[in-house]
Amino acid sequence: MRPIDVTILDVVSEAPQIKTLWLDRDLDPYPGQYAMLWIRGLDEVPMSFSGPDSITVQSVGEASEALTSLGKGESIGLRGPLGRGFTILGERILIIGGGVGVAPLAFLGEQAADAGREVTSLLGYRCCSDMIFLERFQRLGRTVVTTDDGSSGICGRVSAGLEALDIDEYDQIYLCGPEMMMWDVISKIREQAEKIQACINRYFKCAAGICGSCCLDPEGIRVCVEGPVIRADRLLESEFGRYRRGPTGGKGPCRG
Amino acid sequence: MKSDGQSYRPESNSAIPMLLSFFCSSPPMPSLSVHVGGLDLKNPVLLAAGILGTTGASLCRASRAGAGGVVTKSIGSVPRAGHPGPCIVHVDCGLINAMGLPNPSYRDFQEEIDAARRGGAPVIASIFGSSAEEFAQISRSLDADAFELNLSCPHAEKYGSELGRYPDLVESVTGAVKAASNVPVWVKLTPNTADILELGLAAQRGGADAVVAINTLKAMAIDIETGYPILGNRFGGLSGRAIKPVAVRAVYDLASRLEVPVIGVGGISSWEDAVEMIMAGATSIQVGTALLQGYGIFEEIISGLSAYLQRKSITLEELCGMAGRRT
């Protein structure tokens, strides 16, 4: 498909560096799916949906900076929804999110709650000023917060919050956040990996499953079409948490 | 027309299939094995360059999905990030891409080739450079089963078709890589020229073991809401169904005149397309954009081709270049 022209109805600041763009239409995505956003004349980047008609962006580079600088009434090109999102399974679900990675999970949690699921959330932030979407999660059910600096909730990484929960109680776990945070969680509860759905990030170029830049070693999973949501047992023996490829296809360290 | 019989080698002698056909009600499965451009392939359906070819794992997956050979992403001498996005745009009957030759350089690619080889099929390294010496240097430094010279990428300055549209450069680059390496050398030709045959003849003079035709056609798409060219590079190369008739004609012309085998590529997305391309004179074919349908496309084309040969009671060798013999 060609990119469609989407107008930004509103821009809401969620935290320093993080903004939500409200789009002029409901694109009916599954939570965990993404769109390729084209900032005309600059670049095209993948972003997860934080709702059926919203995208939440953290400014980390030239393209995301341009997205967060857009104003009401401006337009972007959009391809999507793309990829495989989360599947709602079981009766009791646990959401584990880190930083801006909580955005697709808030969307997922709301759909799960609407479908009658019991939702518990474990959210990790760097500090209290980064705590986006906290109220969205609190409305859904029990919410445990961790901050790296202890300015709110449990002091420490998200995995520190795992101790406050009985992981065996949950039928399905939904995970999204910085790669090393996700890897930390998956390795700590690796015996539960089959019930973890992780929304991961790789360098996307085509977003159509043919260029190969996002393929995950050693199976060659095309993250842009077979993901970005991947069951964690497939990640355990993969490159995930160890290295990732950049724009050249060369290997580099994982971020975050 | 080159003589038949040199391009194909039956997998086994005829005694066993004859015995089998005596005991079975259906005729034996036709052999799809082929000797092309210096390589023995279990079937004539290869993965085209630039498609799922960045990592050893994805090439291996193509190999295990049935591909008779796999061609890597084009590899150069320095790391390149490629063009800004969008890198692809879907258009009617095809896809325009301008990836911009992203690659980690040959220094960081050998391990991917080694991993790709675990899939079992031969691994053909696509390489690019801006001079004969640069091509030769890369070919000296990589260990692959064959090289495919990218003299045809239409959207990267100083590379690809910017060299490949000049017959004398095609000949000298081919000659330099032939002299530098001891594996087969295939030359991928650009259709963005008045006469692709001149380019094929030049590759042959340079000592190419096969030519591959065609690369993408220069193309462009514009966003009518704003007037912006959609691709980050503004223009790119058209692939997919739209270009198949162009590719069929190019392969037909090349196969009619060259002594070396022609590998057909361009818009093949079904076994029927593969049959048509082989009838035009292709000794084997490559599949690219049709991978949009997933890796299952290899099995689909291979089984369809096999069933066709069985139904028609002809060999792959008899099918090859059939159109040129119909007068």
Side-chain angles (χ1 to χ4, degrees):
Chain A
M1 98 203 50
R2 285 182 178 230
I4 55 168
D5 185 58
V6 174
T7 300
I8 310 296
L9 290 186
D10 200 7
V11 181
V12 175
S13 183
E14 308 287 358
Q17 314 290 316
I18 301 177
K19 287 182 180 169
T20 295
L21 310 178
W22 289 91
L23 313 176
D24 66 358
R25 72 198 78 178
D26 180 338
L27 292 155
D28 198 24
Y30 287 103
Q33 283 191 301
Y34 65 99
M36 291 299 284
L37 304 185
W38 175 31
I39 308 103
R40 295 182 177 99
L42 181 65
D43 206 350
E44 186 191 43
V45 288
M47 290 287 162
S48 290
F49 287 90
S50 52
D53 54 354
S54 70
I55 300 261
T56 300
V57 181
Q58 181 169 31
S59 174
V60 291
E62 200 183 4
S64 52
E65 162 77 33
L67 281 171
T68 55
S69 308
L70 288 170
K72 204 186 281 191
E74 292 191 83
S75 80
I76 53 173
L78 182 150
R79 288 195 282 150
L82 301 169
R84 287 193 190 155
F86 293 112
T87 311
I88 296 174
L89 296 172
E91 292 307 311
R92 309 185 75 190
I93 71 164
L94 174 64
I95 281 169
I96 306 179
V100 76
V102 306
L105 295 171
F107 179 23
L108 167 84
E110 285 157 1
Q111 285 212 343
D114 283 349
R117 304 323 205 266
E118 188 185 320
V119 180
T120 302
S121 306
L122 167 58
L123 311 172
Y125 301 99
R126 276 183 305 192
C127 60
C128 60
S129 61
D130 279 350
M131 298 202 305
I132 64 166
F133 299 145
L134 186 59
E135 284 167 20
R136 285 177 74 180
F137 289 100
Q138 284 170 336
R139 276 199 292 272
L140 303 173
R142 184 183 172 200
T143 302
V144 177
V145 169
T146 69
T147 50
D148 295 352
D149 67 354
S151 54
S152 184
I154 299 168
C155 179
R157 296 281 183 175
V158 182
S159 55
L162 286 173
E163 287 153 28
L165 301 162
D166 180 2
I167 295 298
D168 294 329
E169 278 182 23
Y170 303 100
D171 301 319
Q172 200 70 194
I173 299 168
Y174 297 89
L175 180 62
C176 187
E179 183 149 335
M180 294 321 290
M181 164 257 163
M182 286 201 274
W183 181 243
D184 190 27
V185 169
I186 293 170
S187 356
K188 283 215 165 58
I189 51 173
R190 61 188 301 140
E191 67 283 358
Q192 312 264 8
E194 282 182 21
K195 65 181 196 189
I196 304 175
Q197 297 180 34
C199 184
I200 75 165
N201 175 274
R202 278 295 176 271
Y203 195 85
F204 291 177
K205 283 181 191 285
C206 75
I210 56 166
C211 81
S213 63
C214 67
C215 291
L216 214 59
D217 288 344
E219 280 186 76
I221 299 169
R222 297 160 299 159
V223 177
C224 72
V225 290
E226 294 171 83
V229 174
I230 295 172
R231 227 171 63 173
D233 53 331
R234 298 184 76 186
L235 297 174
L236 280 174
E237 303 307 320
S238 79
E239 68 180 47
F240 188 78
R242 297 176 176 90
Y243 61 87
R244 54 179 293 145
R245 292 167 198 276
T248 68
K251 293 175 188 172
C254 300
R255 291 188 301 258
Chain B
M1 175 65 64
K2 71 189 164 311
S3 65
D4 286 327
Q6 288 182 346
S7 310
Y8 290 91
R9 210 189 52 183
E11 201 159 26
S12 57
N13 69 33
S14 56
I16 292 167
M18 275 175 66
L19 271 172
L20 279 174
S21 66
F22 182 79
F23 291 110
C24 307
S25 53
S26 60
M29 290 298 284
S31 169
L32 289 182
S33 71
V34 51
H35 181 79
V36 56
L39 291 184
D40 288 318
L41 309 177
K42 67 180 176 187
N43 70 62
V45 186
L46 293 87
L47 176 72
I51 305 293
L52 293 165
T54 301
T55 71
S58 58
L59 289 160
C60 200
R61 205 171 157 188
S63 186
R64 288 178 178 151
V70 295
V71 185
T72 70
K73 180 85 191 140
S74 293
I75 300 302
S77 54
V78 291
R80 278 174 65 97
H83 296 314
C87 294
I88 66 160
V89 53
H90 291 265
V91 293
D92 297 337
C93 306
L95 194 69
I96 312 176
N97 91 83
M99 301 301 297
L101 297 173
N103 81 98
S105 93
Y106 68 84
R107 291 179 184 83
D108 270 342
F109 202 69
Q110 188 61 49
E111 62 176 308
E112 308 295 348
I113 294 176
D114 296 341
R117 278 175 160 159
R118 287 180 215 129
V123 178
I124 299 101
S126 172
I127 61 174
F128 72 92
S130 59
S131 67
E133 181 41 43
E134 193 176 352
F135 270 94
Q137 165 65 26
I138 298 166
S139 71
R140 268 193 294 271
S141 312
L142 282 179
D143 173 25
D145 297 310
F147 289 107
E148 181 179 285
L149 311 186
N150 180 346
L151 284 164
S152 41
C153 172
H155 52 75
E157 246 178 86
K158 294 186 293 183
Y159 298 113
S161 62
E162 293 203 9
L163 281 71
R165 63 198 161 108
Y166 300 108
D168 53 335
L169 287 176
V170 171
E171 183 178 346
S172 63
V173 168
T174 308
V177 177
K178 276 301 285 183
S181 80
N182 51 12
V183 296
V185 176
W186 300 355
V187 179
K188 189 163 179 180
L189 305 175
T190 176
N192 299 304
T193 173
D195 187 4
I196 196 168
L197 185 56
E198 281 306 310
L199 302 177
L201 289 165
Q204 182 171 277
R205 283 196 303 276
D209 296 279
V211 297
V212 183
I214 56 176
N215 204 316
T216 54
L217 287 151
K218 269 194 181 185
M220 186 173 189
I222 295 166
D223 176 41
I224 64 162
E225 285 297 325
T226 60
Y228 273 95
I230 295 174
L231 293 170
N233 187 55
R234 304 181 81 82
F235 71 90
L238 177 64
S239 63
R241 285 173 189 269
I243 71 166
K244 195 195 72 180
V246 178
V248 168
R249 194 283 303 181
V251 166
Y252 180 89
D253 275 3
L254 290 161
S256 306
R257 291 284 304 278
L258 299 188
E259 296 299 317
V260 297
V262 181
I263 296 160
V265 53
I268 297 171
S269 54
S270 65
W271 67 263
E272 292 94 331
D273 294 338
V275 166
E276 188 178 357
M277 193 67 91
I278 295 168
M279 282 179 164
T283 56
S284 63
I285 58 131
Q286 295 180 351
V287 183
T289 305
L291 265 291
L292 282 172
Q293 302 165 39
Y295 283 101
I297 188 70
F298 289 111
E299 198 42 52
E300 218 177 291
I301 293 177
I302 292 160
S303 59
L305 178 59
S306 180
Y308 174 86
L309 294 175
Q310 197 165 22
R311 175 162 65 83
K312 292 283 192 179
S313 295
I314 56 169
T315 64
L316 203 46
E317 185 182 338
E318 288 161 349
L319 188 67
C320 182
M322 186 183 276
R325 297 190 294 273
R326 295 273 191 251
T327 51

